[in-house]
Amino acid sequence: MTPKMARIKKIAQETPSIRTFYLDLETDAKPGQFAMAWLPRVDEKPFTLTGTGNETAITVQEKGKFTKKMFELKEGNSIGIRGPFGKGFDFGGAKNACIVAGGCGAAPLLMLAEELKKRDVNLKIVLGARTGNECLFKERLKNTGEIYITTDDGSLGEKGFTTSVLERLLEKEKFDCVFGCGPEPMLVRVFELCEKFGAECQLNLERFMKCATGICGQCAIDEWLVCKDGPVFKSTQIRKMRDFGKFAMLKSAKKVSLQEYAQWRQK
Amino acid sequence: MLETEFCKVKLGNPTVLASGILGTSAELLIRAAENGAGAVTIKSIGPREREGHNNPTIFEWEHGLINAVGLSSEGYKEMEDVWEALKKCPVPVIASIYGANVQEFIEVAENVAKQKPAIVEANISCPNSEKHGQVFGCNIDASAEVISAVKKAVGEIPLIAKLTPQAPNIAEIAKACEAAGADAICAINTVAGMVINIEARKPVLHFKKGGLSGPAVKPVAVKCIWEIYEAVKIPILGVGGVSSGRDAIELMQAGASAIGIGSGVHFKGIDVFKKVCSEMEEWMNENGFANVKELVGIAHE
Ligand SMILES: Cc1cc2nc3c(=O)[nH]c(=O)nc-3n(C[C@H](O)[C@H](O)[C@H](O)COP(=O)(O)OP(=O)(O)OC[C@H]3O[C@@H](n4cnc5c(N)ncnc54)[C@H](O)[C@@H]3O)c2cc1C
Ligand SMILES: Cc1cc2nc3c(=O)[nH]c(=O)nc-3n(C[C@H](O)[C@H](O)[C@H](O)COP(=O)(O)O)c2cc1C
Ligand code: FES
């Protein structure tokens, strides 16, 4: 679809580096689906939809060129939106679930957690960030289940990684599903732990995108397209992936290591 | 019923994954093959790594797609792993190539030919890049020069010349390519266009101009194939706006021997090849055709 210009109704400062932009646009976005946000003459990038219906929103962390421009926008300004795209989380049967969110990875998991809460799912949430005041959606996530917080600097919750908490939880509890989003090295560890303890998982993955509708081949992980087959993938798919945690494509479609990919993103 | 051949290459069916669609990796090309494509085309390979344009690069509008990807390519030197993985591809692989000048075309063609693809396609028609392509595909002498040079470089491997509908006389260009040694013609590449978002008051593509594809361009493709069919003896790979069996049959009746599908992957999903094939079979059964070859050019009779 052609991008639709949507007025920014409200901007919420979530953490010092993260803002939610509520849009004057109705969607039927499901947890885990994303949209392409367009700033004319700048660029177009994928962002998880963090609200649906007339609460449709994207939550953006200030990182590089595009997101700096996003942070210059005021309420009343407009951005272009294409979407919702992709397959979201499949949470139909879950009764006892765990959510693991690293940094901005809490973005796609918030709507999921609130949906699970509505269905009375017994939920544990592991929320990690660099530092205490960067824990995204901490208050809203607290209302959906039992929350465990980890920070790199120990300024809030436990000092260390989300995956250490997950390991302890998996040791004593059986989850129908573990839902994760965050930096790929974290997700690799989440997957390893779930395999070790025999728990199913669904991970929200990220790759550079162009079309967002499954034709350009830019976002490939092996034969899967993150935009169309994902961005949420299940254990059955992840088990077969050879590129997961290892390789990603640059804009030229050259396949490189995740480290080189991250360096390119920094440019 | 759908078995056919194109440039002496045997195809299980006449559908071909068009260049630039999903052709970024061997795994995706193989997935297209597993979803019914009779042959698959690698995304146009250039002389060196090239990022292409900024986003937005591709989106859907009311009657099709528009793109200005800008010939992003990892460059032929970086493709060893892709060629290795393509050994497992169950269908013939077509290697699309481009260059900014004849010398670059030769360099890419010589190196790509070493990997022995079933067919090489010279993209002398991409509208998305200011220097590349267009100059060849719109000009009779330039088209002939590059095709003759590429044919020398690829030797025995069949060569397809991919043409642009922007050429003032596409049949003349096709004839010149045939005389220069092309073994087949591919028509069409995208049609130049632009989409403006009136609220933003800006062109949507970052590159502003782009190439139209999908349903909107099918009549353009049919007309071009028609004219080329009357002008040359070599087979035509018809491309443009195909997403159903009826679309494919229409292009074949105009003169195409095989059918490229690009935007159809967006409109119908990656299994568009299977769908088009079964719809073709159904139509052929209802209308008394035993083999697809019988359809080629019959609208001219
Ligand atoms: C399906 C999907 C959903 C996404 N959802 C969100 C979202 O809800 N909120 C959000 O803020 N971003 C999200 N992203 C990432 C987003 O599209 C941009 O890549 C990101 O905002 C950076 O853009 P930029 O131009 O500002 O920074 P860039 O100039 O691209 O990068 C600046 C810095 O950020 C780092 N960086 C950039 N992108 C990533 C990344 N994806 N992972 C880790 N480090 C990175 C770089 O290494 C560098 O340090 C999503 C991506 C995908 C594919
Ligand atoms: C996103 C996209 C990228 C393309 N890239 C190339 C390319 O690299 N080389 C090429 O020869 N044609 C390219 N094309 C043109 C297609 O191969 C095809 O000729 C055109 O889209 C018309 O067919 P369709 O209507 O089935 O899409 C591209 C088309 C699209 C939509
Ligand atoms: S972004 Fe184009 S296929 Fe996923």
Side-chain angles (χ1 to χ4, degrees), chain A residues 2-5 38-43 78-80, chain B residues 55-56 59 66 194-209:
Chain A
T2 317
K4 242 204 210 105
M5 294 309 285
W38 172 49
L39 293 179
R41 289 205 177 137
V42 182
D43 209 334
S78 294
I79 60 170
Chain B
N55 282 343
F59 62 91
I66 184 164
M194 183 188 279
V195 172
I196 288 174
N197 182 302
I198 60 171
E199 276 74 37
R201 306 176 203 172
K202 295 281 180 300
V204 180
L205 288 173
H206 192 82
F207 192 63
K208 302 184 183 77
K209 299 170 285 183

Side-chain angles (χ1 to χ4, degrees), chain A residues 208-220 225-228, chain B residues 22 58:
Chain A
F208 182 78
M209 287 181 184
K210 287 179 180 169
C211 69
T213 65
I215 64 160
C216 74
Q218 176 67 49
C219 63
L225 297 167
V226 173
C227 68
K228 180 95 176 173
Chain B
L22 298 177
I58 312 164

Side-chain angles (χ1 to χ4, degrees), chain A residues 34 45-48 50 59-61 63-68 104 107-108 204-207 209 226 231 262 265-267:
Chain A
F34 69 96
K45 296 219 175 195
F47 292 92
T48 293
T50 49
T59 300
V60 179
Q61 179 158 46
K63 281 182 187 147
K65 193 169 145 235
F66 183 85
T67 49
K68 283 203 169 73
C104 207
N204 191 317
L205 306 184
E206 186 274 336
R207 286 295 182 272
M209 287 181 184
V226 173
R265 297 297 292 260
Q266 232 144 20
K267 274 201 304 198

Side-chain angles (χ1 to χ4, degrees), chain A residues 80-191:
Chain A
I81 294 285
R82 289 195 291 142
F85 294 124
K87 288 198 178 67
F89 293 99
D90 176 2
F91 50 90
K95 288 273 165 289
N96 200 34
C98 179
I99 278 178
V100 188
C104 207
L109 295 168
L110 172 70
M111 225 208 299
L112 172 70
E114 292 183 338
E115 203 55 48
L116 291 173
K117 162 85 180 167
K118 273 189 220 155
R119 292 161 193 237
D120 287 324
V121 175
N122 187 3
L123 189 61
K124 300 263 189 321
I125 303 124
V126 189
L127 175 63
R130 276 186 297 110
T131 181
N133 62 9
E134 284 293 343
C135 287
L136 177 60
F137 297 139
K138 187 176 61 202
E139 299 307 321
R140 282 174 74 181
L141 285 171
K142 249 183 210 164
N143 294 330
T144 66
E146 196 179 322
I147 196 164
Y148 302 81
I149 289 175
T150 67
T151 50
D152 293 357
D153 63 2
S155 57
L156 191 71
E158 183 175 320
K159 184 171 159 60
F161 294 129
T162 51
T163 43
S164 326
V165 177
L166 175 67
E167 185 163 18
R168 291 203 301 271
L169 290 173
L170 284 166
E171 271 162 6
K172 40 179 212 242
E173 222 175 311
K174 248 196 134 36
F175 296 112
D176 305 320
C177 193
V178 174
F179 301 96
C181 183
E184 200 148 311
M186 177 192 104
L187 295 180
V188 169
R189 186 73 189 127
V190 169
F191 178 66

